[in-house]
Amino acid sequence: MASLFTRIVQGEIPCHKLAEDDRFLAFLDIRPIRLGHALVIPKQEIDYFFDLDDTLIGDIMRFAKPVAKAIEQVIPCKRIGVIVVGLEVPHAHVHLVPIEQIGDINFALAREADPSALADTAEKIRAALGP
């Protein structure tokens, strides 16, 4: 059975897409720790992040970097926290979370986001990414 993220990649489930190429997809988390919280995934369905081959691990971080920089331009924060957890969805992914302090990386803070706020935030981040 395809993972939730594979279904997003295939267009079966909508997302607030930030960036995409032939191997990766970045989109906003619908239960963000903080508005601007994004997920970066490989399109290839691989369950565990550290099962990605060395090239793919390096490339996913290179893909995530401009997304993180764009989030910083749109969401006031000190840094973009990077989290690899891998328990909630059986598909390798990286969380990019705007943070002010270490305690901001807390999934207990995650809440359903207003769809219009997500759409507006996604539009602003895509604009910050440029053409």
Side-chain angles (χ1 to χ4, degrees):
M1 176 185 238
S3 78
L4 173 71
F5 291 167
T6 298
R7 294 180 63 210
I8 289 171
V9 167
Q10 294 171 346
E12 295 173 26
I13 297 173
C15 72
H16 294 280
K17 190 181 300 183
L18 303 176
E20 180 178 26
D21 68 12
D22 60 324
R23 296 183 307 152
F24 304 107
L25 175 64
F27 54 95
L28 290 178
D29 194 316
I30 61 170
R31 286 191 42 84
I33 293 173
R34 183 171 175 203
L35 194 60
H37 176 173
L39 301 169
V40 179
I41 66 170
K43 289 184 174 180
Q44 182 181 0
E45 190 173 296
I46 298 171
D47 179 358
Y48 182 47
F49 188 81
F50 292 107
D51 284 341
L52 299 176
D53 67 40
D54 292 348
T55 299
L56 205 54
I57 279 183
D59 289 349
I60 197 171
M61 297 311 283
R62 277 185 282 284
F63 180 86
K65 183 178 179 179
V67 175
K69 295 290 189 183
I71 294 168
E72 282 181 309
Q73 289 179 32
V74 172
I75 306 295
C77 61
K78 284 189 179 178
R79 302 253 168 134
I80 299 297
V82 179
I83 311 163
V84 174
V85 181
L87 296 174
E88 62 281 19
V89 177
H91 190 125
H93 58 286
V94 174
H95 295 262
L96 303 176
V97 182
I99 61 172
E100 296 296 327
Q101 58 190 358
I102 191 71
D104 292 343
I105 298 180
N106 179 348
F107 283 94
L109 301 173
R111 300 286 182 265
E112 287 292 323
D114 172 34
S116 62
L118 288 173
D120 182 57
T121 301
E123 184 178 324
K124 290 175 182 174
I125 294 170
R126 284 191 301 270
L129 280 164

